[in-house]
Amino acid sequence: MNIHGISFASLGLVVLDEIRLPHRKPLTDILGGSGAYATLGARLFLPHPKSHSLGWMVHVGSDFPRPIKDRLQSWDVTLIIERESNEPSTRGLLEYKDTTFGPKEFKYTTPILAMQDNSLKNTPLLTSRAYHYLETPQNITTRLSSLLALREKAGAPERPFIIWEPAPFSCSVVNLQSCLDAVRMVDVFSPNHLELATLFGQSRPVVADKDKIESQALRFLDSGVGPDGKGTVIVRAGEHGCVIMARDMSPIWLPPFYQSRPGDKPDAKVVDPTGAGNTFLGAFAAGYLQTGSIVEAGCYGSVGASFALEQVGMPERSNDGEEERWNGANVLARLHEYRKTIGLPDIRG
């Protein structure tokens, strides 16, 4: 087995969403879930034939729609579909309170078909260079121990690069110590600023307080992120961008690709923020594997997230001759534009 055949795999969920907005017909069978969006983020920066180095294991039920299966296959990734013949696919209801895609409620409407670590056995995904998880602090510890044992048994003892975003429902003050313990096993810990606040027992902040976000993230760095204490905390803060923090550097705030000044209307291209954070982390993984820099990877993440924002569900992929486009845009050209905007030198190559 080629140890470096797969570069990245998200072990998050694939969910079929029903989306309801006031006074509109519900949208059904919308592809979503943390695994789908994180895979999108990496795929944006892995055009064909590099896309084959992207692993994707999908656990679905007997009702998984053929058009969505065809769409997944069209991404040209190393796709493994596990189908349950007697169970429905994981489905969710996403209900927005107004027509601005602002306040919302989400709930699962079927039992969750989670990814089992044993399913990775005898697949190229078992030796991926990097993984993304959305898990509770209790489960991430168990799952990583299982993954590392399976890799050892398969003759791949190298430690992979691990990105963990905490499951939103597990972000409460009673789980703070569990999270502080769990981050020692991962390379990147990435809550959003609302989840971070609730871990520290605070109500969800209306306005992002950057100093407070940094001090809360520092608590994790002081406790130790990663096996060697050299890990990274990335706090995603929506329209405020993200902050990247590690022990050997000052905090670095990166703006979102689509920016609006105070008092301005949101950018017209920003349609739905669902999945943008997951997409950020998949793109971050691709960027880090390509550049080795967490700041450069943050630029990839910010640009990747912009493609998730432009529509409900997934962006559309097309080809213009040899050039791959998403929503009609060249991904690397957008990255170049973003880096120029924030004042980083051009490193396109």
Side-chain angles (χ1 to χ4, degrees):
M1 188 180 289
N2 181 358
I3 288 176
H4 298 298
I6 298 296
S7 61
F8 174 76
S10 172
L11 301 179
L13 292 176
V14 170
V15 183
L16 298 175
D17 285 331
E18 176 181 337
I19 299 177
R20 294 182 186 170
L21 286 150
H23 317 302
R24 293 194 196 176
K25 186 178 177 182
L27 302 170
T28 57
D29 287 345
I30 303 297
L31 178 63
S34 61
Y37 278 108
T39 301
L40 165 69
R43 178 62 180 84
L44 290 166
F45 291 97
L46 292 169
H48 177 83
K50 292 178 182 177
S51 55
H52 295 152
S53 76
L54 178 54
W56 196 2
M57 184 168 280
V58 182
H59 194 183
V60 303
S62 56
D63 60 343
F64 197 69
R66 181 60 189 261
I68 293 185
K69 178 186 175 184
D70 292 344
R71 187 172 193 178
L72 304 190
Q73 290 175 328
S74 76
W75 284 11
D76 291 323
V77 303
T78 299
L79 179 68
I80 299 171
I81 297 179
E82 276 195 332
R83 187 182 291 270
E84 300 289 342
S85 58
N86 298 316
E87 296 182 51
S89 300
T90 305
R91 291 181 178 271
L93 174 62
L94 187 59
E95 198 157 9
Y96 286 95
K97 301 303 179 186
D98 58 34
T99 56
T100 67
F101 291 97
K104 61 187 176 183
E105 287 183 2
F106 176 82
K107 65 179 179 181
Y108 291 105
T109 55
T110 64
I112 294 171
L113 291 180
M115 189 59 57
Q116 303 302 320
D117 298 298
N118 276 337
S119 298
L120 297 176
K121 286 201 298 191
N122 302 316
T123 76
L125 276 63
L126 182 57
T127 50
S128 177
R129 292 171 60 199
Y131 295 95
H132 160 263
Y133 289 87
L134 185 147
E135 271 295 358
T136 66
Q138 294 81 8
N139 285 353
I140 189 68
T141 304
T142 305
R143 292 196 67 182
L144 286 180
S145 297
S146 172
L147 174 72
L148 296 176
L150 287 170
R151 286 170 65 97
E152 183 83 35
K153 199 170 181 180
E158 301 91 343
R159 192 181 176 283
F161 187 75
I162 303 293
I163 298 171
W164 172 40
E165 56 176 315
F169 67 86
S170 71
C171 291
S172 63
V173 69
V174 297
N175 279 329
L176 176 59
Q177 188 57 51
S178 296
C179 283
L180 289 167
D181 294 339
V183 295
R184 293 172 189 146
M185 292 187 70
V186 307
D187 299 283
V188 175
F189 174 59
S190 184
N192 66 37
H193 69 297
L194 302 176
E195 293 157 355
L196 187 64
T198 56
L199 275 172
F200 285 90
Q202 298 173 348
S203 58
R204 294 163 69 92
V206 177
V207 178
D209 182 332
K210 292 187 175 183
D211 289 338
K212 184 164 283 187
I213 289 169
E214 289 178 20
S215 69
Q216 290 169 342
L218 190 60
R219 176 83 181 274
F220 283 90
L221 289 176
D222 286 345
S223 179
V225 179
D228 56 3
K230 296 180 180 177
T232 303
V233 176
I234 301 173
V235 184
R236 294 164 284 119
E239 68 270 25
H240 306 286
C242 70
V243 63
I244 300 172
M245 294 178 60
R247 273 187 175 174
D248 59 350
M249 58 181 269
S250 300
I252 293 179
W253 281 88
L254 294 176
F257 179 81
Y258 289 121
Q259 299 180 57
S260 57
R261 294 180 179 85
D264 288 355
K265 289 183 178 179
D267 193 298
K269 288 204 170 183
V270 177
V271 173
D272 182 6
T274 301
N278 313 127
T279 307
F280 176 101
L281 292 174
F284 176 93
Y288 183 76
L289 292 173
Q290 290 176 29
T291 70
S293 162
I294 56 175
V295 177
E296 291 291 346
C299 295
Y300 281 63
S302 298
V303 170
S306 72
F307 286 91
L309 294 166
E310 294 175 343
Q311 68 287 305
V312 175
M314 298 288 157
E316 291 294 332
R317 186 177 70 89
S318 61
N319 284 83
D320 182 4
E322 294 287 312
E323 185 181 280
E324 191 171 87
R325 290 178 174 266
W326 292 82
N327 286 350
N330 178 296
V331 177
L332 291 182
R334 185 174 289 189
L335 177 63
H336 169 62
E337 177 188 343
Y338 176 79
R339 297 179 83 265
K340 189 175 178 182
T341 299
I342 66 174
L344 286 177
D346 185 19
I347 58 167
R348 277 195 300 177

